[in-house]
Amino acid sequence: MLDPGHNGGNAAAPEEINRHVPAGRGRTKPCNTTGTATNDGYPEHAFTFDVAKRVRRLLRQQGIEVVMTRQSDDGVGPCVDRRADIGNRTRADAVVSIHADGAEGTARGFHIAYSSPPLNAAQGKPSVRLARTLRDALRDAGFPLSTYLGSDGLAPRDDLAGLNLSKRPVVLVECGNMRNPQEAATMKQAAGRQKYADAIADGVLRYLGAR
Ligand SMILES: [Zn+2]
């Protein structure tokens, strides 16, 4: 399952996206958020949706069945708990959320977040292996490891609803920092998004043993 973060209609629907939903570990969180953007306004939701579609195409070419949590970039949500449900109900072999960050401009690089401490078996070893495999694939593709979050491109987290609520192997890929001019330039270009997609698909295929 591919989960492109946020959605293009979220900003126009504050009542819906600000309502709180279960986030795991006894907490709640807003249903969804608008996401970040480059300094000149290229939005994260457009980036994540385009990259996810490119990954889907690559995986389908290899005979992998792909489900996405949203089918367009002009809708609202779905809420984070609903996104996790989709992966659980479809019994996804791997769940990959795709995001980009909005950190301070000097920060750069990607990191892969996984649930820690794990709340079930799927969040344990399989998710850590998925995280490491995707980290290796992005690093091998030439993307720099995060300079500002996690270590060695990996970030254990206990506060991300999509990770906490998953019963399937799950990670969240923060592709880079949209506020960093160099990374923003890559993200804004179709060729740059294809490069991210190639690396993510490579990592998923390695994880599934298809490569
Ligand atoms: Zn995001």
Side-chain angles (χ1 to χ4, degrees):
M1 185 181 93
L2 300 174
D3 174 37
H6 316 283
N7 204 334
N10 284 1
E15 318 75 18
E16 189 168 345
I17 70 156
N18 291 335
R19 80 184 165 84
H20 274 236
V21 298
R25 303 186 200 269
R27 302 171 194 162
T28 65
K29 267 201 168 183
C31 156
N32 214 204
T33 55
T34 56
T36 188
T38 64
N39 288 331
D40 57 0
Y42 177 62
E44 181 188 355
H45 62 78
F47 170 77
T48 65
F49 190 64
D50 187 76
V51 170
K53 282 193 298 181
R54 292 170 187 273
V55 175
R56 178 174 64 181
R57 187 176 312 129
L58 291 163
L59 293 178
R60 283 181 171 167
Q61 283 169 2
Q62 301 301 314
I64 308 293
E65 193 180 336
V66 180
V67 171
M68 279 179 36
T69 52
R70 59 185 173 99
Q71 309 308 319
S72 74
D73 192 38
D74 54 11
V76 177
C79 298
V80 284
D81 58 333
R82 167 94 181 114
R83 293 178 189 238
D85 278 349
I86 296 169
N88 294 340
R89 280 191 300 98
T90 55
R91 304 183 58 79
D93 291 316
V95 174
V96 179
S97 280
I98 300 170
H99 286 257
D101 216 350
E104 65 177 277
T106 52
R108 68 188 291 246
F110 77 88
H111 66 274
I112 317 289
Y114 62 93
S115 173
S116 179
L119 296 169
N120 55 48
Q123 290 178 18
K125 280 183 182 168
S127 294
V128 173
R129 187 169 73 82
L130 179 58
R132 288 188 178 143
T133 307
L134 275 162
R135 185 271 316 273
D136 292 352
L138 269 86
R139 187 188 54 198
D140 292 351
F143 290 107
L145 302 176
S146 172
T147 59
Y148 67 99
L149 215 154
S151 93
D152 244 359
L154 297 175
R157 298 277 294 261
D158 69 1
D159 61 323
L160 296 174
L163 304 183
N164 290 342
L165 297 172
S166 182
K167 297 170 182 165
R168 313 302 299 173
V170 60
V171 296
L172 186 151
V173 181
E174 284 282 10
C175 290
N177 177 16
M178 298 194 92
R179 302 286 184 186
N180 175 290
Q182 205 180 340
E183 295 199 310
T186 302
M187 291 175 183
K188 286 191 289 181
Q189 291 166 6
R193 295 192 294 277
Q194 187 62 42
K195 194 177 162 199
Y196 278 110
D198 288 341
I200 293 169
D202 181 38
V204 172
L205 290 167
R206 288 191 208 180
Y207 175 79
L208 295 175
R211 175 167 288 180

